[in-house]
Amino acid sequence: MTDEMLYQIDEAVIKWLDDEKQKIPALLKDMKTTTKTDRFDLVTNIDKAIEQSFEQFLMNTFPDHQLYGEEGHHEIAHLREGATWVLDPIDGTVNLVKQQDDFCIILALFYNGKPMLSYIYDYSRQHLFKARKGYGAYLNEQSLAPPQAYPLHESIISFNNKVMNDETIHDLLNHSFAYRLIGACGLDSAKVFTGQFGAHIHTNAKPWDIGAQFLFAEELGLKMTNFYREPIDFIQGGPFIISNPGCYEEVLALLLQKGGYQI
Ligand code: IPD
Ligand code: CA
Ligand code: CA
């Protein structure tokens, strides 16, 4: 995929995102929520509308591109071939339903399995995080610098504490500067891009929770692996850490030393 092609795809996607922004206020006014696997697993008409709109956009603009999306695009047979988009139409649906705040769209383009373009759009703050392979990462068109390295005792960390063992939670709290959790994997990860958080851990990330983070990690010199320092498969997801290089080893050591977590 040439630079020129990526540039054109990026322009088209930015236009699609602009159109979605305009539609969200009306969708928010008329939000309808249903449950999936249990009463905490929510989906709204907004999640579905955004995914359908992106599917339509691809059919009209890039008909040979594949879609791997949370709300109903789960066919995985050929995703490593050619252009594949991974989409979480709303990440942080619980926040959307309960707070009307702190939710985002996560979108990433892979070509032959390699990340090429990534977007995390924070609707409430109108913050668009974007990364383009070889061209760095941006926040609303302002270039982001790789964050300064900080050790764990100077870092805020975030993790999904429901599945952590109590001892591991206390170890992580005791060794870090502070703990915060936004509750949207894309936004918790974006805090690591900007250096506001040292690390975000998700013990069982779905592919769409982390599709965009691969390229941001590459372009910003961050660590993104599973808990055994191995690369994560973009089609499978799984245990995930994105981290400032200054605290990565310390966080992993604490996470693993007492059994850590259950999936
Ligand atoms: C959720 C969020 C949340 C994480 C959950 C995810 P969703 O995504 O990223 O931070 O803890 O595991 O499912 O369901 O709102 O797209
Ligand atoms: Ca998600
Ligand atoms: Ca979602």
Side-chain angles (χ1 to χ4, degrees), residues 92 95-96 99-103 122 124-125:
N95 291 347
L96 166 64
Q99 312 186 78
Q100 294 79 58
D101 197 5
D102 288 332
F103 56 92
D122 174 344
S124 312
R125 285 161 201 78

Side-chain angles (χ1 to χ4, degrees), residues 147-234:
Q148 203 182 323
Y150 283 111
L152 183 56
H153 69 271
E154 292 296 346
S155 301
I156 294 178
I157 55 169
S158 87
F159 50 88
N160 182 343
N161 52 21
K162 259 195 182 167
V163 292
M164 291 259 183
N165 296 341
D166 288 353
E167 266 190 294
T168 304
I169 293 178
H170 285 109
D171 284 346
L172 288 168
L173 296 181
N174 291 339
H175 287 83
S176 59
F177 193 89
Y179 167 81
R180 301 283 183 274
L181 180 72
I182 299 170
C185 188
L187 298 182
D188 281 289
S189 300
K191 290 271 185 189
V192 182
F193 307 163
T194 56
Q196 292 165 291
F197 286 1
H200 175 59
I201 297 162
H202 189 323
T203 49
N204 190 20
K206 298 286 178 293
W208 28 85
D209 293 325
I210 57 172
Q213 286 87 322
F214 290 91
L215 189 57
F216 284 101
E218 248 180 64
E219 295 294 326
L220 291 170
L222 303 168
K223 298 283 191 181
M224 174 172 165
T225 64
N226 69 14
F227 303 155
Y228 298 99
R229 300 172 186 77
E230 297 158 347
I232 300 169
D233 183 335
F234 84 102

Side-chain angles (χ1 to χ4, degrees), residues 36 42 47 70-71 88-93 208-209:
K36 295 197 273 185
L42 306 177
D47 306 51
E70 180 174 16
E71 307 306 336
D88 192 340
I90 295 287
D91 179 54
T93 300
W208 28 85
D209 293 325

Side-chain angles (χ1 to χ4, degrees), residues 102-113:
D102 288 332
F103 56 92
C104 60
I105 298 174
I106 306 179
L107 183 58
L109 172 65
F110 292 78
Y111 190 72
N112 292 342

